[in-house]
Structure formats: C-alpha cells, structure tokens
Amino acid sequence: MKTHFASHPPYKHSTSQSTAQTRGSTKRKEKEESKEKKMEREDANANAADGDKPVVCVLDASTYVGFWILQGLLSKGYNVHAAIQKNGEREIVEKIRDMEVIEDRLVVYSVEVLDYRSILDALKGCAAVFCCLDSSDGYSDEKNADLEVRGAINVVEACAQTESIDKIVFSSSLTAAIWKDNISSQEDVDERSWSDPEFCRKLKLWHALSKTLSEQAAWALAMDRMLNMVSVNSGLVLGPSVAQQNPKSTLAYLKGAAQMYESGVLASVDTNFLADVHIRALEDPSTRGRYFCFNQVVNTEEATAKVAQRLSPLISLPPRYEQGSEAFTERLRTKKLDKLVEGTAY
C-alpha cells in the first residue's frame, strides 16, 4: 500500500550512471519516507481509538456514495482508512489523494476487492467498516453481479477475520427490494421486501440483480460468522456532480424507471442525508437489519422533472411533463428510517 507524497526533483549530473544512482537513491528515500509517514498516521489512528471516535474504514471510498460517507466521517472527527480500488472514479480518487496530504486523520489504502489480503490490510485496527461496492464499468450483464457478490463475500469474511471489527454498515439499494411481479399490487413495501433475482434477469435489471445478490450474500455470511451488520438501502442518489462522477450506476438504477414511477416505488436521496444515515447506523447501538433510505418519493411529473434537472445532461426532461398531473400512490415505507433519524433506531 502506498500513500501519495510529492517527490523532490533529483539533482542533475553530468553522467548517466550518477543520474541513475541518484534516481534510485531518491526512490528509496521516498519509499522510506512514505512508509514512515503511513506508520505515523496509523499510530495516530490507534491512539485515537482510545478516544471518543473509533477508527473506521470506508471501502470503496472511491465510489460516489463512499466518498460522501468519507467526508461525513472526517467532518465528525473520525479517523478513517479510505480503501480505494485502482479502477475507482478518477476525479474522486484524485480528491482523496489530495485530502490525504493535508488530513492527518486519513490514511489511504489501495485495495482490490477480489484480493482478500489487501482488504485485511485496510481493515487493520478498525472498529467498523462501511462497505460501499459499485461497478466502475456499469451494470451491463450478469457478470457485474457475480463480481459484486464475490467482493461482498471477501469484505465480510475479512471482517470476520479482523478482531477489532465490531460493526459492518453495508451500503445497498432500494433496487434490491422493489423488483418483483406483484410490486404494483403491494400496499406496503418495506425492509422485509426483496427483489426477485429471476424477475431481474428476465427484465435485464442488472443493477437490481447485483445489489440483491450481493446484499443477500453479505447477510448470509454475516449471520453465519455472527457479525453485527446493518444495511442501508438507498434510493436514487442525487448530489453535486453526480451526473459526471456517477453516471453508469445512475443510469443502471433508472432502468425500468417508468414502471418504478407508476408503481410508487421510485425515490431519491440526497448525498448529505444518505451519508448521515450511514453514520447514524454505525453510532446507534440498537440498529439492526435493513434500513430504506430516501428523502423524496418521485410519484408526480413535477417531482420527475426536478430529478431530471438535477441529473442533466445525463437524462432529459420527460416530453409529456405537465405540472400538477396525477400523483401515483406511494408504496414505500420508512418506519425504521424515521426512528433512526429520530434517535430511536428500532
């Protein structure tokens, strides 16, 4: 694992041999300094664990949701291990690397979710992990689901093998709960509802399939290993630069948007609210199970237009938009979310 530090320019010499020697010496020095700096930060994090705020890990911090959780944790005084993948969103990765230079409470780790040992390194000394997996390649077929499932299993198993881990906050999606044959006829859709994988395959809803299977795999393993886990099932995520930084996942979520809309199960959530709910799920010791997370139901054409405006130019305004048109019946229930936000989690 390497942290990012600005390198000093090598001296220029008259011979190629001395130049090569100097470069080699500079690289060794940089590597030693990088290692020392990282050890200092890890020691600081270990000392902070004795204080009010535990050391926590965000994996993958280079996803759009992971980055907002990371920022929320730092603003609340947490020491954070930001685990990022090499194929993470470039703009977000650059921001995290820049933050690491000036933020003593942040240590950055390079991980690969299919590399179990790299996850163990990132989790070392942490009391909790926020698992925020997303496909950087989008959700184009069932292979994405397989990779996300394998990643979720690796993260949960690594938690089971990390003695310091007390809690997993697993970031999932409403798409893992709303896709089934009878969704439009259900009066209430709450945390007990799961999407039907075969129905998702039939309609090629690869985002929904990935989130359903990965969350189910995480729950199965967490229960088998007797781990303390909660999941946060978010609506369509909206926030600054979401169209630029999270386009593929956003479009994948919106596949079947018309049916979600007419069934009263299309909902959105702002990044700040979503990050806050994740952190509340960690901090409240009474949390358990799944938590739907959204703060806007999209069941009118006016609401649809507002979402389209926030996602511009990724999607366009519906051509039949007429303000004040019929509202579809809202079916999603937020009893558990309401209690969590109020401070009485269950």
Side-chain angles (χ1 to χ4, degrees), residues 201-214:
R201 290 186 179 95
K202 179 182 176 182
L203 297 186
K204 298 184 178 180
L205 300 166
W206 306 125
H207 182 275
L209 181 67
S210 297
K211 297 306 177 184
T212 302
L213 296 181
S214 62

Side-chain angles (χ1 to χ4, degrees), residues 287-308:
T287 53
R288 64 179 188 269
R290 308 169 84 201
Y291 289 82
F292 281 4
C293 184
F294 57 92
N295 52 3
Q296 177 64 58
V297 175
V298 185
N299 61 341
T300 67
E301 292 196 2
E302 182 179 2
T304 303
K306 289 179 180 178
V307 169

Side-chain angles (χ1 to χ4, degrees), residues 250-312:
T250 299
L251 289 174
Y253 186 107
L254 286 171
K255 185 168 185 181
Q259 187 175 342
M260 286 190 281
Y261 170 68
E262 293 172 3
S263 299
V265 293
L266 181 60
S268 64
V269 61
D270 290 316
T271 49
N272 287 324
F273 182 74
L274 179 59
D276 183 63
V277 167
H278 276 82
I279 297 170
R280 284 174 182 265
L282 167 68
E283 294 178 337
D284 193 321
S286 66
T287 53
R288 64 179 188 269
R290 308 169 84 201
Y291 289 82
F292 281 4
C293 184
F294 57 92
N295 52 3
Q296 177 64 58
V297 175
V298 185
N299 61 341
T300 67
E301 292 196 2
E302 182 179 2
T304 303
K306 289 179 180 178
V307 169
Q309 288 168 356
R310 295 188 67 178
L311 291 177
S312 177

Side-chain angles (χ1 to χ4, degrees), residues 170-340:
F170 191 90
S171 189
S172 187
S173 173
L174 281 180
T175 60
I178 61 177
W179 283 109
K180 58 181 79 174
D181 270 325
N182 64 341
I183 196 68
S184 60
S185 63
Q186 284 188 237
E187 184 176 344
D188 294 325
V189 180
D190 60 20
E191 288 84 356
R192 294 168 295 183
S193 177
W194 284 94
S195 292
D196 177 2
E198 288 307 316
F199 186 76
C200 294
R201 290 186 179 95
K202 179 182 176 182
L203 297 186
K204 298 184 178 180
L205 300 166
W206 306 125
H207 182 275
L209 181 67
S210 297
K211 297 306 177 184
T212 302
L213 296 181
S214 62
E215 188 188 347
Q216 287 178 339
W219 274 117
L221 187 55
M223 288 187 286
D224 182 69
R225 299 291 190 268
M226 294 185 291
L227 298 174
N228 180 14
M229 181 174 125
V230 296
S231 67
V232 178
N233 296 71
S234 66
L236 175 68
V237 180
L238 299 177
S241 303
V242 66
Q244 293 75 36
Q245 295 178 356
N246 198 39
K248 292 180 180 178
S249 289
T250 299
L251 289 174
Y253 186 107
L254 286 171
K255 185 168 185 181
Q259 187 175 342
M260 286 190 281
Y261 170 68
E262 293 172 3
S263 299
V265 293
L266 181 60
S268 64
V269 61
D270 290 316
T271 49
N272 287 324
F273 182 74
L274 179 59
D276 183 63
V277 167
H278 276 82
I279 297 170
R280 284 174 182 265
L282 167 68
E283 294 178 337
D284 193 321
S286 66
T287 53
R288 64 179 188 269
R290 308 169 84 201
Y291 289 82
F292 281 4
C293 184
F294 57 92
N295 52 3
Q296 177 64 58
V297 175
V298 185
N299 61 341
T300 67
E301 292 196 2
E302 182 179 2
T304 303
K306 289 179 180 178
V307 169
Q309 288 168 356
R310 295 188 67 178
L311 291 177
S312 177
L314 195 59
I315 64 173
S316 56
L317 187 68
R320 63 191 186 99
Y321 166 61
E322 295 177 9
Q323 189 169 350
S325 63
E326 175 190 2
F328 289 94
T329 302
E330 177 187 342
R331 301 182 188 279
L332 295 169
R333 298 293 173 258
T334 59
K335 183 179 178 181
K336 289 185 69 178
L337 175 67
D338 295 340
K339 288 185 176 182
L340 176 59

